[in-house]
Amino acid sequence: MLKLTRYLKGYGLITVIAPLLKLLEALFELAIPLIVRHIADVLIPAGDMKGVYLWGGAMLGLGAAGFTLAIISQYLAAHSSLGYGTNLRRDLYRHVNRFGYAELDKFGTASLITRITDDIRQTQIGVSQFIRLVLRAPFILIGAIVMAIILDPVSGLIFIGVSIAIGTALYFIMRRSGKFYRVIQQQLDGVALLTRENLTGTRVVRAFSRQDEENADFTKAAGKLAKTGEKAGVISSLLNPLTYVLINIAVLAILFLGGSAVNSGDLARGDILALVNYLSQILLALVVFANLLITFSKAGASARRINEVLETEPILRFPEESEGLAVDSGQWTVDSKADEGGADCKTVGVAVPGDPQLKSNTRSGGSPGTATPTKTSSPSPLTPKISLRSVSFAYPGDAEDDLSDISFDLHPGQTLGVIGSTGSGKTTLVNLICRFYDARDGRIEIDRRDIKSYPKDTLSALIGVVPQSAVLFYGSVRENMQLGKADASDTEIWEALRTAQSEDFIKALPQGLDTVIFQGGKNLSGGQRQRLTVARALVKNPEILILDDASSALDYATDAALRKALRSRQFSVGSFQLLEDDSLTKNEKRKTHDAAAKPQKYTGRIFLTKAGSKATRENVGGDFEQQLVGVDLQIDPKTTPKADGSICKSTPTDNNAPHPSIIPNSSFLIPNSPPSPLTVIMVSQRAASLKGADLILVLEDGKCAGLGTYAELREGCEIFKEICVSQEGGSTKNEK
C-alpha cells in the first residue's frame, strides 16, 4: 500500500486535516467519562441539579461537536479516496495500454479487468478507512489505558492485559485470513474470465446448446470462490466474539476489584463508572481496529496485485518522436539525365529496382549517366519497403521456434501473399512486422531502417492492420472509421468504404455513417465486419496495409473486387521506359513511338514500371485498363515532361509525321491515388486470392517452405502445389 500512496498527490492537505478532525473527536469522546465521573461523585451527592443539567448539556455539546467533526472527516476521506482511486485507475489503465502482447499474455485480460476494477476498489476502501481511523482508534485505545492508569493503577494493569490479549488474537487471525484474501482475488479472476468468455461467446454457447455445461462451470468456479470466502469469513468472525469475551472479563474484573476498592474508600463510584466507560471505548476501538485490519488485509492483497502490474515494464521500448527521423509520405523521381532542348531524347537502359544499369546508364552517344534518386520526402521505390533478415521468434515458454530464419524483401507498391497450414506462423509473422512482439533473432526493417528505431506513433501511422478477428466498437460507423484518423472527413471515409466494398451496404443503412454499431459489431454480418475493418485501416492512408486473413468471411466475388480495388491503390509512381535497341528495324521503332502516341493500345518496347517492381523488364502489352485495374491514365504525348521539368519537343520521323519523344524514367501519377504506393501483406488461406501477388511466402511449421510468384511456387513448391490442388478439388497425383 505504501508504494501507492503517491496517488494521493493533490489531496495531501485533505489527507492531513481529516485524521486531525477524527483525533479531535476522540479527545471529546475521552472527556465524556470524566464528566460522568464528576456528575456521579460531586453533583448528584450534593443535589446540585442545576450543575447536573449544565454538565449534561456539556456532554451533549461534546457529542454534537464530535458528530459534526466525524461528518466533515468522512466527507474529506471519501473525497480523498475517490481522487486516489481515479488517479490510480487512470495510471494503471494507461500503463496496461503500454503493454505489448507478451505482457497481456502474461496477465490475461480477465485478470487485468479485475485489477483495474475490484482491486482498485479494495485499495480505495483501505485509503478511506486509513484516513478516518488510523489516528482515532489507536488514540482512543491508548488514551483510555492512560486515563485508567491515572484513575486506578491496578485497573490500568487490567486494561493493559486485556489489550495485549486482544492484540495477540488479532495478529493470529489477520495472519491467517490475509492468505485467503489473496486467493479470493485470484479466484475472482477466474470467475471474471468465465463471465467474459460466456458473454462474448454467447452465440457459440447457444449454437452448441452448452448452456447447462457453462452454468455448471460457472457454479463450480463461484462455489470455489464462496468456500474460500467462507473460510476467510469464519476466521475473521472470531474477532468480535473474542474481543467481547475478553472485554467483558475485564469489566467483571474491574467491578469485582473496584467494588472492594469502593467499600474500602480507595475508589469513588464515579471512578468505577469512568473505568467501565473507558473499557467500552476500548472495546469499540478494538472492534474498529479489527475491522480496519481486515480491510487492510484485503487492500494489501489487492495492492500487491496492482503493484505487480505497475512494476512490469513493457519489453517493447519505443524511442520518443524527437529521437526518430520523421517519415513523411511523398514521391521519388529518377533523373534520366536526358539531353536538354529535346534534340535527341533517346536512351538505352532503364532504371528499375535491382537493375545493374541503374548505376551506369548511358545517354545518347554512349556517354555515361547516372540514375540518381532524388528525395522529396520519402524513401525511393528502389528501396525495399519491408525487409526481413533471418528473423526467428518463439513465444515465452515455447521450447521450439514459432518462426525460424524468415527472410524477404518487399518493395513499395508490391503485394506479399502469406499462406500456410493452420499454426504455421502466419499471424506471428504479421505481429512481428507490426512490432507487437520483438523478434528473438534477426532484423526487421522498414525503408532500410530497423523497426525498433521507429517511434510508436510513427510506426502506427505507417502500418494499417486488419486483424484476423474483426473487432468493431460500440458507436457510429463514422466513429469506428475515425479510430485511426480522428479528423478523417466523410469524403475520406466514403473513399475507404468504396475500396473495401462497403459503400453500398452502408448507404443502405437507415442513418448511413451515423448508424450505431453494437459492441463487437453484433448487428452486422461477419463479412460486413471484415469489410469495415479493412475500410478503417484504409482511412488512415497507411503506406503498408496488412490483411491478416481479412477476407475469410467474404464470398469469392467480393474478395476479388476487394483485391482489385486494393491493387488500383498500389500504383502511384510509374514511368514510361523507351528502350532503343539497334536490332529494332526503323518500322519497329516507329511502332514504338506510335505506341506512346496511343497509350490505350500499344505494342513494341514501352514498359510501364510499377514502383518497387522487380528488376525484370516485362513487355506488359495490352491496354492500360487491363494493366492498371480500371484506372484511366491521362498523358499528353506532345508535352511529356523531362526529369528536370522541361518539355522534350516532338521529333519528326522519316515521313515527317509528328511523333512524341519519350523521356526515359519520366514520372506520372495515376489520378485519385495516394502520394505513396500502398504496400500490401495479405495473409490468406485461399491460394487463388494470392494469384496477383508479386511475391508469395509459404510457411510450414514456422519455416519458409517457398518464396516466389504464384507460377514459380506452383511449379517448384510441393506444399504450395498441394494447397492449390486441394482447393481446386483435385489431387497431386491426378495433376501429374
Side-chain angles (χ1 to χ4, degrees):
M1 281 291 291
L2 290 176
K3 293 181 180 179
L4 300 178
T5 54
R6 64 182 183 273
Y7 291 103
L8 283 168
K9 185 178 180 181
Y11 300 92
L13 185 60
I14 295 176
T15 306
V16 172
I17 291 175
L20 291 177
L21 294 178
K22 296 295 286 186
L23 186 62
L24 191 57
E25 180 206 356
L27 285 172
F28 292 163
E29 192 170 336
L30 288 173
I32 288 177
L34 296 179
I35 295 176
V36 172
R37 172 175 173 265
H38 177 71
I39 292 174
D41 287 345
V42 177
L43 300 179
I44 292 178
D48 186 0
M49 298 306 297
K50 184 179 179 180
V52 171
Y53 294 141
L54 181 64
W55 284 99
M59 288 176 59
L60 292 174
L62 288 175
F67 176 76
T68 303
L69 292 174
I71 292 295
I72 296 173
S73 179
Q74 294 275 75
Y75 172 79
L76 295 177
H79 181 70
S80 181
S81 63
L82 285 171
Y84 159 88
T86 300
N87 293 339
L88 178 55
R89 192 173 290 108
R90 179 198 62 228
D91 276 15
L92 185 60
Y93 186 77
R94 183 180 298 164
H95 187 74
V96 168
N97 274 287
R98 292 176 53 222
F99 282 172
Y101 279 19
E103 292 77 26
L104 294 175
D105 294 342
K106 173 185 174 183
F107 290 105
T109 305
S111 179
L112 289 173
I113 291 174
T114 303
R115 295 176 200 233
I116 291 174
T117 53
D118 189 70
D119 282 320
I120 289 181
R121 184 181 66 84
Q122 294 290 353
T123 60
Q124 189 173 306
I125 293 172
V127 169
S128 176
Q129 296 287 78
F130 178 84
I131 293 173
R132 289 170 45 209
L133 303 172
V134 69
L135 289 181
R136 183 184 184 279
F139 185 79
I140 286 181
L141 179 64
I142 296 171
I145 293 173
V146 170
M147 294 303 297
I149 292 174
I150 291 173
L151 292 174
D152 181 28
V154 176
S155 299
L157 293 176
I158 296 175
F159 276 59
I160 293 173
V162 74
S163 298
I164 292 173
I166 293 174
T168 303
L170 287 174
Y171 171 76
F172 284 107
I173 290 173
M174 290 300 101
R175 183 178 178 184
R176 180 70 175 164
S177 62
K179 298 177 181 178
F180 286 108
Y181 292 125
R182 289 191 289 273
V183 175
I184 285 172
Q185 293 303 115
Q186 293 172 356
Q187 291 175 344
L188 190 60
D189 288 346
V191 173
L193 176 62
L194 281 172
T195 305
R196 182 175 179 273
E197 285 183 340
N198 275 274
L199 292 176
T200 304
T202 182
R203 296 185 180 184
V204 178
V205 172
R206 292 178 184 277
F208 288 92
S209 190
R210 292 277 305 178
Q211 293 94 323
D212 292 340
E213 289 80 1
E214 293 299 326
N215 284 334
D217 290 344
F218 183 85
T219 302
K220 182 179 178 181
K224 200 172 180 181
L225 175 63
K227 286 181 180 179
T228 307
E230 286 172 2
K231 291 178 182 178
V234 167
I235 295 173
S236 300
S237 65
L238 295 175
L239 280 174
N240 284 349
L242 280 175
T243 303
Y244 276 100
V245 166
L246 292 172
I247 286 293
N248 282 300
I249 290 174
V251 169
L252 290 174
I254 291 294
L255 291 176
F256 178 77
L257 296 176
S260 301
V262 169
N263 289 332
S264 63
D266 294 332
L267 282 177
R269 288 171 295 179
D271 293 333
I272 299 297
L273 290 174
L275 289 172
V276 172
N277 274 330
Y278 282 130
L279 270 178
S280 299
Q281 289 181 357
I282 287 177
L283 171 63
L284 294 175
L286 287 173
V287 170
V288 169
F289 193 67
N291 291 328
L292 190 62
L293 288 179
I294 293 174
T295 301
F296 283 171
S297 296
K298 294 179 180 179
S302 294
R304 279 188 286 273
R305 286 161 52 85
I306 293 170
N307 281 319
E308 186 181 2
V309 176
L310 291 174
E311 290 170 1
T312 300
E313 285 299 321
I315 298 174
L316 299 179
R317 297 297 182 89
F318 292 88
E320 297 296 329
E321 290 290 340
S322 58
E323 299 174 24
L325 297 174
V327 178
D328 302 319
S329 59
Q331 174 186 345
W332 282 73
T333 59
V334 180
D335 184 3
S336 64
K337 298 296 182 183
D339 292 336
E340 298 181 5
D344 187 1
C345 298
K346 296 183 293 183
T347 187
V348 291
V350 251
V352 291
D355 194 336
Q357 295 186 47
L358 177 64
K359 297 181 180 179
S360 58
N361 285 354
T362 56
R363 297 179 290 174
S364 60
S367 58
T370 307
T372 308
T374 305
K375 184 177 181 182
T376 57
S377 59
S378 71
S380 166
L382 311 180
T383 302
K385 191 67 180 178
I386 302 173
S387 297
L388 269 69
R389 301 280 180 264
S390 303
V391 171
S392 298
F393 173 78
Y395 289 100
D398 287 359
E400 297 182 359
D401 285 347
D402 296 277
L403 279 180
S404 180
D405 197 26
I406 305 298
S407 299
F408 63 80
D409 284 336
L410 189 64
H411 289 277
Q414 285 189 322
T415 296
L416 170 70
V418 183
I419 195 169
S421 59
T422 302
S424 58
K426 301 185 294 297
T427 298
T428 300
L429 176 66
V430 166
N431 289 337
L432 290 177
I433 294 173
C434 296
R435 211 190 168 206
F436 296 147
Y437 297 96
D438 268 341
R440 191 201 65 213
D441 295 316
R443 180 181 173 94
I444 301 175
E445 297 175 349
I446 295 180
D447 294 326
R448 291 297 189 198
R449 179 178 164 194
D450 194 323
I451 196 173
K452 296 179 183 178
S453 68
Y454 281 90
K456 192 171 187 178
D457 290 342
T458 303
L459 187 62
S460 177
L462 281 172
I463 302 175
V465 184
V466 183
Q468 196 170 24
S469 177
V471 177
L472 296 171
F473 298 93
Y474 179 82
S476 67
V477 175
R478 182 183 288 103
E479 289 169 342
N480 273 273
M481 293 300 101
Q482 291 176 332
L483 194 65
K485 187 179 180 183
D487 59 347
S489 65
D490 285 1
T491 302
E492 293 174 296
I493 293 173
W494 281 117
E495 183 180 349
L497 291 171
R498 192 174 302 114
T499 302
Q501 309 303 301
S502 302
E503 182 182 24
D504 291 341
F505 88 80
I506 293 298
K507 284 183 176 179
L509 293 175
Q511 296 174 301
L513 293 178
D514 294 317
T515 302
V516 173
I517 296 176
F518 296 167
Q519 182 181 358
K522 300 298 184 185
N523 56 333
L524 300 174
S525 70
Q528 289 173 335
R529 289 198 296 269
Q530 282 194 334
R531 283 180 280 167
L532 285 183
T533 54
V534 173
R536 182 176 61 192
L538 290 172
V539 165
K540 62 189 287 189
N541 197 18
E543 295 183 21
I544 300 169
L545 178 65
I546 297 178
L547 306 172
D548 187 4
D549 206 10
S551 59
S552 58
L554 303 183
D555 58 85
Y556 284 97
T558 306
D559 182 22
L562 173 61
R563 285 184 281 112
K564 182 178 180 181
L566 288 175
R567 191 74 171 169
S568 68
R569 294 173 70 104
Q570 291 183 264
F571 290 88
S572 178
V573 180
S575 59
F576 279 117
Q577 309 292 353
L578 176 63
L579 180 64
E580 290 290 337
D581 192 332
D582 292 337
S583 65
L584 292 177
T585 66
K586 186 179 295 185
N587 189 44
E588 286 175 334
K589 290 182 181 181
R590 184 177 302 164
K591 287 182 179 179
T592 301
H593 285 274
D594 288 341
K598 298 178 180 179
Q600 288 299 321
K601 194 75 175 178
Y602 65 93
T603 56
R605 304 296 296 278
I606 293 179
F607 300 95
L608 178 66
T609 303
K610 185 182 68 173
S613 63
K614 289 186 174 182
T616 307
R617 293 194 295 267
E618 299 177 356
N619 186 359
V620 293
D623 57 70
F624 286 109
E625 184 175 355
Q626 178 182 356
Q627 173 66 15
L628 294 179
V629 198
V631 178
D632 293 328
L633 195 62
Q634 302 295 332
I635 294 181
D636 184 355
K638 296 180 180 179
T639 56
T640 305
K642 292 171 61 177
D644 61 2
S646 61
I647 302 300
C648 185
K649 298 177 182 178
S650 297
T651 304
T653 58
D654 294 340
N655 60 2
N656 293 323
H659 292 285
S661 297
I662 305 300
I663 303 295
N665 305 321
S666 59
S667 297
F668 62 83
L669 290 178
I670 293 174
N672 301 321
S673 64
S676 299
L678 181 64
T679 306
V680 178
I681 296 177
M682 183 182 294
V683 177
S684 180
Q685 299 287 357
R686 302 173 182 172
S689 298
L690 305 180
K691 277 188 176 180
D694 299 281
L695 196 64
I696 298 176
L697 172 65
V698 183
L699 291 176
E700 182 68 18
D701 294 329
K703 298 179 178 63
C704 176
L707 183 65
T709 64
Y710 183 92
E712 291 169 349
L713 293 173
R714 189 66 188 261
E715 292 297 323
C717 179
E718 284 299 320
I719 293 176
F720 185 74
K721 188 175 181 180
E722 289 175 5
I723 293 173
C724 294
V725 173
S726 65
Q727 293 178 1
E728 292 166 1
S731 65
T732 55
K733 183 181 290 186
N734 292 337
E735 186 179 52
K736 291 177 181 178

